[in-house]
Amino acid sequence: MGWGDRNRGASHYDAQYLSRNATYYCRAYQIDGYVETRDGRKTVKGIHWIAKPLGDDSLVCYSMGDRRGYINMLTGEQAIAPQYRHAWVFSDCLASVDDDGWIKFVDATNQWHSSTRERATMPENEPRCPAAGSL
């Protein structure tokens, strides 16, 4: 029996490197992705997709059900619980989030820094984290 025969039908996860301490595992079009730390702990489970930041920011936007939150890619730990209907990737230490229809800017500790004066109006089918594409 060859390698392919032994593993036919077995679950296959794709790995996405976050840092030397954490890796994101997922299966295409599944809602069972998770983050695993270097010591083998699964820290965040039930992830649908992630969007990594660009530059020096270290918080990864992720989707869990219909809510968005952030994972610290350096530790693999949840940084901001999934509580936002829409959220975007961090840039220059801030991220835009939709807080009950209001677009606000939060830092890595989830503290607000400013907000728009108008309520958000976005089509329901539009991707919420630009780097996530159409996931």
Side-chain angles (χ1 to χ4, degrees), residues 96-118:
S96 298
V97 296
D98 177 349
D99 186 30
D100 197 26
W102 294 93
I103 300 297
K104 298 184 177 185
F105 296 95
V106 297
D107 64 17
T109 64
N110 204 27
Q111 297 297 308
W112 296 348
H113 283 267
S114 64
S115 63
T116 63
R117 294 188 184 273
E118 297 183 27

Side-chain angles (χ1 to χ4, degrees), residues 43-129:
T43 55
V44 183
K45 301 174 187 174
I47 299 172
H48 190 183
W49 54 258
I50 66 168
K52 292 178 11 178
L54 301 174
D56 295 331
D57 291 293
S58 61
L59 295 188
V60 175
C61 181
Y62 76 101
S63 170
M64 184 178 287
D66 64 349
R67 296 293 171 195
R68 311 295 186 257
Y70 295 91
I71 299 165
N72 183 321
M73 65 193 268
L74 302 177
T75 64
E77 301 290 336
Q78 180 174 271
I80 299 174
Q83 57 192 293
Y84 298 110
R85 186 166 174 224
H86 311 295
W88 292 266
V89 295
F90 267 78
S91 177
D92 295 326
C93 301
L94 294 175
S96 298
V97 296
D98 177 349
D99 186 30
D100 197 26
W102 294 93
I103 300 297
K104 298 184 177 185
F105 296 95
V106 297
D107 64 17
T109 64
N110 204 27
Q111 297 297 308
W112 296 348
H113 283 267
S114 64
S115 63
T116 63
R117 294 188 184 273
E118 297 183 27
R119 290 182 71 78
T121 55
M122 292 178 272
E124 286 300 312
N125 59 354
E126 185 176 317
R128 302 304 173 205
C129 286

Side-chain angles (χ1 to χ4, degrees), residues 9-16 24-34 42 46-50 135:
S11 296
H12 175 73
Y13 282 85
D14 291 323
Q16 188 170 7
Y24 168 63
Y25 293 93
C26 67
R27 293 187 294 185
Y29 309 108
Q30 301 295 316
I31 306 175
D32 64 346
Y34 61 92
K42 292 181 181 177
I47 299 172
H48 190 183
W49 54 258
I50 66 168
L135 295 177

